[in-house]
Amino acid sequence: MKTVKDFINKIYKKINKRIKEISVVLYIKTNVLFITYVLVNLINSWLLRIVTMGNLFSFKAIISDLAFILIVGSFAYLLKPRKQIRILMPLTIIMMLACLINAVYYENYVSFASFSLLSTASFLGDMDGAVVTSLIKLKDIILIFAPIVLLIVHIILKKRKYYQKVEIIERPKKRFLNTVILGALAVFATISMMQGADYSRLKKQWNREYLVQRFGIYVYQLNDAIKSTESKFTSVFGYDKASKTVREFYEEKEKTDNINNINNEYTNIFEGKNVIVIHAESMMTQDMTLSFNNKELTPNLNRLANEGLFFSNYYSQVSVGTSSDTEFTFNTSLLPASIGTVFVNYWKRTYEAIPNLLKQKGYYSASMHANNASFWNRNVMHETLGYDKFYAKDTFDNSNPENIIGLGLSDKEFFKQATSKIKKISEENEKYYVTLITLSNHTPWDDEDKYGSYTVDYKYTETDEQGNVVEKSLPYMEGTQLGRYFKSVHYADEALGEFVNELDANGLLDNTVLVIYGDHDAKIAKKEYKYFYNYDFETGDTYDSDDERYVDVDYYNYELNRKVPFIIWTKNSKGDSKLNKKIDKVMGMYDAMPTLANMLNFDFKYGLGHDIFNSNNNIVVFPNGNWITDKMYYNAQKEEHFLFKNSVITDDEIQKNKEYANKLLDVSDSIIVYDLEKENKDEEN
Ligand code: GP9
Ligand code: MN
């Protein structure tokens, strides 16, 4: 009997000891530093989701964050308690930096950062320091609290001789193992909550916002690091699969689109003509609809649009490569790379690009841009695209500081100097294709004193008590970021107007087609638009959100407003039934090349877009997987859509579009990564 009693007693004591050991209170008491480490990093990731996407709560992201934080932090238990800070602090700083960099990055690119962009760091060096610092907002500064709190807690614990006390009870290996097990459980929970699409999204990594929302910033960044390193080796693996995907896609496309046998009223209409393309930095279609104090914001663009072909529903399809992505998509009709940028990471490739294709038709081609030649790796990539010469900053006279706006030579001076270069080209070549990349309208638009006298305030008159008419004004957009952008836009438009006149005066418009596109939207925050649309001209305040006049700027209004102008104009367009027209069909940057191919009569095989005059049900696929048709906008990040007024669409149609969008992204990336256009060229030769 006694032995049984002893035995039970023994068991009881053992259990009791174990309970005490795993008791939450004891655990917390003896793991203050580690728990602080977990909490501050969890909170930081959560804060990041709030300041970027406004995503308040995501259980799944918290679990993924926890998995990451626990597993990497567990190694601290291999050190003595007072030395654990040596691991936990660097980890916290790294995680804080990941949050901070992404917060700043999101502000500028409405996307999350990628390791593959590290190789583009050289171009960041060219950016005005002000551009970067002006992007760090007060709200982002909160994110640096994590290492600070950890340090404070560590100092307090040290003062209270906490570490000596814990060292007696600490069983490092056990704690290490327990933490790893807990981390593994969180990994298991993450995996078990994953749906089919999540796997492919992690693999493709283009739906960045979704990934951060779903897996948190740490897992996103880890996955990105793996994918970015992988991209350096992928050319070796997966070639056959990529090649098959592309081959099958084009076999099908050739049947349905018949791209090189199009015959419509625009076929060969511009054959043999010179082409001058103007890449208008940050110019948006909305700008063309605005007036301040009865003065149009963009009178010159408006005139050209009214006289030529104006595509009013044209979208840029940029990813993190912004300007360079547009140059790529415009010239090749492919989409930007899903990881990194084509200009920086995939320049050593063969692409069917307009300059390359026109060369075969006897054209001379040149690009001009008054920034450093290496910015966006243009010096190298422009050659790949087929430009015979790139006139960069060093070929322009930048000596007069009066002529510098923002990142470099002002558009007015750039155009002036470019005109004489074009004149020379026209004398030496039978026909030419010239691209001019403007610069003045680049963020941060703070050279206000150089933009001219255009104001974005609200002027009005009032009759005073004596019956005199008094001129008054409210600041309206003056002093706001959007207002500064508008002033810069007006300047850029004025420069464009002067350029067209100069070209004409030099006889350079007589046999020339002018093509103008906005390279991407200005990426100005929603709150600026909310102020703009809700200004009360009676009081100078803004309407409250419950006011019936209040205009909300939600995700969809914002996305739909990112349209950029696309204009094809000749001196004789005005009044011509074919060339003086507004086309409202939805269209993307990747439709430019096929549309111009039909007009200029050059053949191409690759390319994802369509000749807009031969395309019904056109669809614009964005690099993040979103897409738009004439009927709806699909948000792949949230898997929701917005149906346009009076549109009807079946689930089947939506599903088909979704698959098509994924296909295009896949085909484009396969071509880019595996250099598949080269294969085709080699076969031809
Ligand atoms: C830089 C200019 C701007 O040379 O083209 O590039 P972005 O920042 O718009 O990509
Ligand atoms: Mn740009």
Side-chain angles (χ1 to χ4, degrees):
M1 196 63 192
K2 200 171 171 258
T3 46
V4 174
K5 218 176 169 186
D6 275 355
F7 180 71
I8 290 174
N9 244 342
K10 226 172 159 185
I11 297 261
Y12 172 78
K13 272 185 189 155
K14 255 197 171 164
I15 290 176
N16 211 13
K17 196 173 158 227
R18 187 92 188 112
I19 284 175
K20 264 191 189 155
E21 237 177 50
I22 56 166
S23 120
V24 178
V25 180
L26 185 73
Y27 181 82
I28 293 174
K29 270 190 178 166
T30 55
N31 281 286
V32 177
L33 193 72
F34 191 81
I35 290 169
T36 312
Y37 151 82
V38 172
L39 285 179
V40 291
N41 288 303
L42 264 187
I43 293 173
N44 239 8
S45 172
W46 170 65
L47 282 176
L48 176 83
R49 293 195 294 277
I50 296 180
V51 297
T52 52
M53 304 171 287
N55 175 231
L56 272 187
F57 184 76
S58 162
F59 177 70
K60 291 177 180 176
I62 291 174
I63 296 296
S64 304
D65 280 340
L66 194 63
F68 181 86
I69 296 169
L70 286 176
I71 289 177
V72 296
S74 63
F75 293 95
Y77 283 121
L78 299 178
L79 299 182
K80 287 208 161 79
R82 73 196 128 96
K83 288 189 180 159
Q84 286 169 2
I85 189 80
R86 291 185 192 175
I87 287 187
L88 299 181
M89 184 53 95
L91 284 176
T92 304
I93 292 176
I94 293 172
M95 283 187 252
M96 178 274 287
L97 283 177
C99 292
L100 189 64
I101 290 170
N102 276 291
V104 174
Y105 194 85
Y106 193 92
E107 191 84 30
N108 195 25
Y109 295 105
V110 200
S111 181
F112 293 95
S114 168
F115 278 104
S116 55
L117 287 171
L118 281 182
S119 44
T120 66
S122 61
F123 90 81
L124 282 175
D126 293 345
M127 275 266 198
D128 195 329
V131 178
V132 179
T133 44
S134 70
L135 284 169
I136 302 180
K137 299 277 152 61
L138 197 66
K139 64 177 181 351
D140 305 331
I141 301 291
I142 302 177
L143 298 169
I144 62 170
F145 90 97
I148 297 175
V149 170
L150 192 70
L151 185 69
I152 294 173
V153 171
H154 171 66
I155 293 170
I156 296 175
L157 293 177
K158 220 172 154 185
K159 271 196 178 156
R160 294 194 178 167
K161 308 233 178 316
Y162 160 88
Y163 292 123
Q164 279 101 309
K165 286 180 220 156
V166 192
E167 246 152 54
I168 309 162
I169 38 168
E170 170 102 352
R171 288 207 257 155
K173 273 195 197 127
K174 211 163 191 180
R175 288 238 154 126
F176 169 68
L177 216 67
N178 283 347
T179 317
V180 172
I181 290 170
L182 208 61
L185 279 177
V187 171
F188 179 74
T190 298
I191 294 173
S192 62
M193 285 186 288
M194 275 168 78
Q195 291 151 355
D198 292 339
Y199 291 98
S200 75
R201 281 181 179 159
L202 273 174
K203 218 168 120 222
K204 290 176 185 157
Q205 185 80 1
W206 46 256
N207 200 334
R208 291 159 199 261
E209 191 161 325
Y210 176 86
L211 288 179
V212 176
Q213 202 162 299
R214 170 68 186 74
F215 296 101
I217 193 68
Y218 309 131
V219 171
Y220 160 79
Q221 210 69 82
L222 176 72
N223 184 57
D224 172 72
I226 296 168
K227 297 301 309 172
S228 301
T229 342
E230 213 179 84
S231 77
K232 300 217 183 324
F233 305 105
T234 38
S235 316
V236 186
F237 307 106
Y239 177 90
D240 292 339
K241 188 169 162 268
S243 174
K244 183 169 177 267
T245 307
V246 173
R247 199 175 48 244
E248 285 174 0
F249 177 80
Y250 283 103
E251 274 166 13
E252 189 61 35
K253 191 170 163 82
E254 254 155 50
K255 271 187 244 151
T256 51
D257 291 10
N258 200 14
I259 43 173
N260 291 316
N261 290 309
I262 286 174
N263 207 340
N264 58 36
E265 55 177 343
Y266 294 92
T267 306
N268 306 346
I269 198 164
F270 294 139
E271 184 161 17
K273 287 208 183 298
N274 304 313
V275 184
I276 297 179
V277 179
I278 297 165
H279 168 119
E281 175 61 44
S282 303
M283 196 60 85
M284 296 171 71
T285 309
Q286 64 161 19
D287 304 334
M288 299 170 68
T289 64
L290 303 176
S291 284
F292 289 88
N293 299 312
N294 294 323
K295 288 191 193 101
E296 282 174 292
L297 184 59
T298 57
N300 295 293
L301 267 180
N302 295 8
R303 177 176 72 85
L304 297 170
N306 286 333
E307 294 178 2
L309 283 169
F310 173 47
F311 304 85
S312 64
N313 267 309
Y314 189 74
Y315 286 89
S316 166
Q317 292 163 295
V318 295
S319 178
V320 292
T322 45
S323 278
S324 72
D325 280 346
T326 274
E327 286 175 52
F328 177 68
T329 302
F330 176 84
N331 279 309
T332 63
S333 184
L334 294 178
L335 283 161
S338 67
I339 292 177
T341 77
V342 174
F343 268 47
V344 176
N345 307 87
Y346 301 103
W347 56 271
K348 215 172 178 183
R349 299 281 190 273
T350 303
Y351 297 109
E352 275 184 340
I354 302 179
N356 274 327
L357 296 164
L358 284 181
K359 199 179 287 178
Q360 293 163 20
K361 299 208 58 133
Y363 276 73
Y364 172 83
S365 64
S367 55
M368 300 184 188
H369 182 48
N371 200 357
N372 296 337
S374 61
F375 201 104
W376 281 132
N377 209 22
R378 282 186 177 110
N379 48 344
V380 177
M381 185 63 189
H382 278 202
E383 201 181 318
T384 301
L385 292 174
Y387 288 109
D388 293 301
K389 189 170 164 59
F390 174 30
Y391 295 83
K393 186 177 182 176
D394 56 339
T395 70
F396 288 87
D397 176 6
N398 294 274
S399 57
N400 186 352
E402 287 291 300
N403 292 332
I404 304 296
I405 291 184
L407 293 183
L409 195 62
S410 69
D411 282 1
K412 287 192 182 180
E413 188 56 28
F414 165 65
F415 280 138
K416 209 175 278 168
Q417 294 184 32
T419 308
S420 52
K421 294 188 200 305
I422 299 172
K423 179 94 182 147
K424 196 148 176 281
I425 291 172
S426 78
E427 285 158 7
E428 289 168 0
N429 298 280
E430 201 198 317
K431 43 195 175 184
Y432 57 86
Y433 173 80
V434 173
T435 303
L436 293 109
I437 301 163
T438 67
L439 195 55
S440 295
N441 196 32
H442 193 278
T443 174
W445 313 292
D446 53 9
D447 264 341
E448 267 185 277
D449 49 332
K450 292 188 175 162
Y451 297 152
S453 58
Y454 191 80
T455 58
V456 290
D457 57 348
Y458 171 65
K459 291 190 173 53
Y460 61 101
T461 51
E462 235 173 49
T463 313
D464 67 10
E465 281 163 15
Q466 284 78 40
N468 302 319
V469 178
V470 206
E471 291 223 335
K472 292 210 150 183
S473 96
L474 285 168
Y476 190 24
M477 298 312 289
E478 289 290 339
T480 67
Q481 188 195 28
L482 189 55
R484 285 190 282 113
Y485 164 72
F486 287 149
K487 286 182 171 191
S488 163
V489 162
H490 187 77
Y491 168 85
D493 176 80
E494 213 164 74
L496 177 70
E498 286 179 12
F499 180 50
V500 176
N501 292 342
E502 285 264 314
L503 288 175
D504 200 16
N506 282 281
L508 293 168
L509 286 181
D510 299 340
N511 194 31
T512 299
V513 184
L514 212 60
V515 178
I516 304 166
Y517 64 76
D519 68 339
H520 47 75
D521 70 305
K523 295 175 233 140
I524 290 175
K526 282 193 194 88
K527 68 171 190 320
E528 293 269 332
Y529 285 102
K530 281 189 185 161
Y531 173 83
F532 174 54
Y533 293 133
N534 293 298
Y535 193 77
D536 185 342
F537 295 97
E538 303 278 307
T539 62
D541 289 333
T542 47
Y543 304 137
D544 285 335
S545 54
D546 51 9
D547 192 302
E548 57 176 21
R549 293 165 296 183
Y550 184 79
V551 181
D552 192 22
V553 182
D554 63 12
Y555 178 83
Y556 292 105
N557 311 136
Y558 187 81
E559 290 302 317
L560 294 170
N561 194 43
R562 293 174 78 178
K563 277 185 273 234
V564 295
F566 184 44
I567 298 168
I568 301 176
W569 179 93
T570 70
K571 212 175 153 178
N572 304 318
S573 289
K574 193 177 174 185
D576 183 302
S577 59
K578 266 185 278 185
L579 297 180
N580 189 183
K581 221 185 215 175
K582 185 155 134 322
I583 293 94
D584 297 322
K585 273 192 229 176
V586 72
M587 180 180 180
M589 196 60 77
Y590 64 12
D591 296 316
M593 190 265 241
T595 304
L596 289 169
N598 181 46
M599 293 172 148
L600 293 160
N601 190 20
F602 62 80
D603 285 349
F604 69 98
K605 173 174 173 171
Y606 295 101
L608 303 167
H610 295 95
D611 171 6
I612 196 65
F613 298 109
N614 242 58
S615 172
N616 298 317
N617 310 321
N618 212 38
I619 173 166
V620 179
V621 176
F622 296 99
N624 62 1
N626 288 6
W627 47 263
I628 183 172
T629 66
D630 284 324
K631 294 182 183 169
M632 64 173 263
Y633 185 97
Y634 180 75
N635 174 359
Q637 329 296 305
K638 304 216 166 40
E639 298 183 326
E640 291 166 1
H641 66 262
F642 174 72
L643 199 60
F644 303 147
K645 215 172 168 188
N646 303 327
S647 290
V648 187
I649 193 162
T650 61
D651 287 346
D652 201 35
E653 225 175 308
I654 296 177
Q655 189 53 32
K656 270 200 189 121
N657 284 347
K658 266 161 66 172
E659 282 162 18
Y660 182 72
N662 282 336
K663 187 56 133 195
L664 284 202
L665 289 161
D666 205 13
V667 166
S668 189
D669 235 30
S670 300
I671 291 175
I672 293 165
V673 173
Y674 296 100
D675 201 5
L676 295 179
E677 295 196 0
K678 178 167 185 283
E679 187 191 44
N680 179 50
K681 210 168 169 210
D682 289 349
E683 271 168 23
E684 275 171 15
N685 294 336

